[in-house]
């Protein structure tokens, strides 16, 4: 697992890698996915380096609430709250997680498949 020093999402938080930021709070950052899978594809992350959603839940349930609130805010801002959207936390190897820094995918703007995998 990458540590904060070489973590790509920590480097986005630090401003060392550019990203299209759509929302920011004291504790979270929301930015557009570099390879979008839907017209709306935003990642919402905790600024703190926590590897996955389980680590966030264990460390700080208030932070988990804030991440979810930001996901919903993104859906409203990007205009998909009424048409529908998906929030997904890929978690661990078999969950398809590639970047080991907790992130929620907010996907919308097209009809999404029923299949999650
Ligand atoms: P996951 O498979 O759940 O770990 O998804 C990681 C996502 O992160 C993937 O959809 C691509 C995105 N991503 C990876 N590196 C970068 C980056 O440097 N910038 C941005 N904006 N997104 C990235």
């Amino acid at each position: 697992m990458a540590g904060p020093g070489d973590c790509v999402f920590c480097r986005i938080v630090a401003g060392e890698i550019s990203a299209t930021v759509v929302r920011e709070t004291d504790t979270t950052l929301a930015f557009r996915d570099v390879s979008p899978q839907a017209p709306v594809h935003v990642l919402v992350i905790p600024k703190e380096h926590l590897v996955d959603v389980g680590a966030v839940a264990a460390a700080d349930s208030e932070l988990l609430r804030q991440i979810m609130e930001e996901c919903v805010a993104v859906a409203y801002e990007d205009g998909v709250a009424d048409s529908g959207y998906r929030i997904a936390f890929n978690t661990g190897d078999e969950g398809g997680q590639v970047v080991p820094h907790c992130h929620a995918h907010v996907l919308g703007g097209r009809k999404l498949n029923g299949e999650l995998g």
Side-chain angles (χ1 to χ4, degrees):
M1 285 283 176
D6 56 0
C7 169
V8 62
F9 288 174
C10 285
R11 295 188 67 195
I12 287 174
V13 171
E16 296 170 8
I17 296 175
S18 66
T20 305
V21 172
V22 296
R23 290 183 61 83
E24 182 171 13
T25 70
D26 288 347
T27 57
T28 67
L29 194 68
F31 53 93
R32 300 207 182 278
D33 194 289
V34 75
S35 52
Q37 296 177 32
V40 174
H41 190 171
V42 172
L43 303 175
V44 180
I45 69 168
K47 289 182 174 176
E48 182 181 352
H49 183 80
L50 292 159
V51 293
D52 60 23
V53 67
V56 174
D60 187 349
S61 58
E62 169 62 14
L63 178 56
L64 183 56
R65 188 194 67 74
Q66 291 166 352
I67 291 168
M68 295 306 297
E69 195 171 81
E70 284 301 299
C71 289
V72 173
V74 164
Y76 274 95
E77 279 193 5
D78 272 15
V80 296
D82 291 337
S83 52
Y85 59 97
R86 179 174 297 157
I87 298 170
F89 290 91
N90 294 337
T91 305
D93 182 36
E94 292 195 357
Q97 184 177 8
V98 174
V99 178
H101 180 133
C102 176
H103 51 281
H105 295 259
V106 182
L107 294 151
R110 67 167 172 82
K111 178 74 174 169
L112 299 169
N113 297 329
E115 168 66 35
L116 284 168

